[in-house]
């Protein structure tokens, strides 16, 4: 009979722990960075904390991203792409101007509800020297998409179309700031209620507010 030590048997059963591939490690660092940036902001997070949370050494972070700034840029780019895709789909599927406002508002509320950390990162100040990829620039792009619809509405109502771009900025800004307020207010209203009240003000104006606004899209 051959006897095998307990420690040897355990080693053979469990085997060595598998190491992450380079792409897996990169994804792990992105998730860790995203969480820390959402909790503490860019300035409040450090490479040391990111490495410690991921259980790696600092050089690993530098190897993949070149530093905290590189990691932050990747996180922001992903959030921008996600939110842009949601809003673009919403704008492209609207059957009327009112439904367009509804769906754009709901797209933002969905994103805030499902990706709260991502939205928290986007609405914070960007690191020094970063001029693109910010939430403000994204909302500016959305306003540009809405602008031609505002022009059509102004023409149909005999209004000066030169003011349409300004109104597009107002509309998008109202939705964006309300979304931020909703995130910070513990979401006492449902996302559908918030969207309905946004449309109520944007579509009817203060002089024609509906008593019990509902979505129609």
């Amino acid at each position: 009979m051959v006897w095998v030590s307990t420690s040897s048997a355990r080693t053979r059963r469990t085997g060595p722990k598998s190491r992450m591939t380079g792409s897996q490690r990169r994804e792990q660092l992105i998730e860790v960075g995203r969480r820390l940036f959402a909790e503490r902001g860019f300035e409040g997070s450090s490479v040391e904390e990111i490495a410690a949370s991921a259980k790696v050494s600092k050089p690993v972070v530098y190897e993949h991203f070149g530093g905290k700034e590189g990691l932050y840029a990747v996180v922001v780019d992903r959030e921008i792409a996600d939110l842009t895709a949601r809003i673009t789909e919403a704008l492209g599927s609207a059957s009327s101007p009112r439904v367009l406002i509804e769906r754009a508002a709901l797209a933002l509320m969905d994103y805030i509800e499902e990706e709260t950390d991502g939205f928290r990162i986007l609405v914070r100040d960007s690191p020094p020297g970063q001029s693109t990829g910010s939430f403000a620039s994204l909302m500016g792009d959305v306003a540009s998409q809405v602008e031609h619809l505002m022009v059509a509405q102004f023409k149909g109502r005999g209004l000066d179309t030169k003011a349409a771009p300004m109104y597009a900025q107002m509309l998008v800004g109202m939705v964006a700031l309300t979304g931020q307020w909703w995130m910070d207010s513990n979401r006492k209203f449902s996302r559908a209620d918030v969207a309905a009240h946004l449309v109520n003000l944007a579509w009817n104006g203060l002089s024609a507010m509906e008593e019990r606004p509902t979505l129609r899209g």
Side-chain angles (χ1 to χ4, degrees):
M1 181 180 294
V2 178
W3 294 95
V4 179
S5 68
T6 304
S7 59
S8 298
R10 186 181 297 114
T11 300
R12 284 205 298 270
R13 284 200 303 269
T14 59
K17 291 183 178 179
S18 60
R19 298 183 61 182
M20 286 187 180
T21 64
S23 60
Q24 288 172 335
R25 179 66 71 191
R26 179 180 173 85
E27 290 302 317
Q28 181 210 20
L29 290 170
I30 291 172
E31 285 302 311
V32 168
R34 184 178 188 264
R35 175 173 53 79
L36 288 175
F37 291 140
E39 290 175 0
R40 306 179 187 183
F42 176 80
E43 295 296 341
S45 304
S46 67
V47 172
E48 289 83 357
E49 290 172 320
I50 294 168
S53 295
K55 294 181 173 56
V56 298
S57 62
K58 287 170 54 179
V60 174
V61 180
Y62 287 107
E63 177 186 348
H64 283 277
F65 303 100
K68 182 175 70 170
E69 293 79 5
L71 174 57
Y72 183 87
V74 171
V75 170
V76 169
D77 285 347
R78 286 194 175 192
E79 298 305 324
I80 291 287
D82 184 7
L83 183 52
T84 299
R86 291 169 186 253
I87 293 178
T88 300
E89 182 181 0
L91 296 179
S93 61
S95 57
S96 69
R98 173 163 179 154
V99 174
L100 179 143
I101 299 171
E102 290 183 1
R103 292 191 176 175
L106 279 172
L108 181 60
M109 298 302 157
D110 282 344
Y111 173 75
I112 294 172
E113 189 169 62
E114 296 167 8
E115 306 294 346
T116 302
D117 280 354
F119 185 72
R120 206 177 293 278
I121 291 169
L122 290 182
V123 297
R124 278 202 173 104
D125 291 337
S126 299
Q130 182 167 311
S131 59
T132 60
S134 67
F135 184 66
S137 66
L138 170 61
M139 290 297 100
D141 292 341
V142 174
S144 297
Q145 296 183 57
V146 173
E147 185 178 316
H148 72 281
L149 297 166
M150 298 296 289
V151 169
Q153 286 295 305
F154 274 48
K155 282 183 178 179
R157 297 168 185 266
L159 301 173
D160 184 5
T161 57
K162 292 179 181 178
M166 177 174 60
Y167 277 82
Q169 292 286 341
M170 291 177 183
L171 180 60
V172 172
M174 180 176 70
V175 173
L177 287 175
T178 303
Q180 189 171 356
W181 166 83
W182 183 59
M183 178 186 69
D184 294 333
S185 66
N186 297 320
R187 302 173 194 175
K188 297 176 182 177
F189 297 88
S190 71
R191 64 181 183 83
D193 284 341
V194 174
H197 283 283
L198 271 168
V199 176
N200 192 25
L201 177 58
W203 190 256
N204 297 313
L206 289 173
S207 63
M209 296 269 285
E210 298 172 356
E211 184 177 354
R212 297 181 181 278
T214 58
L215 299 179
R216 300 180 184 179

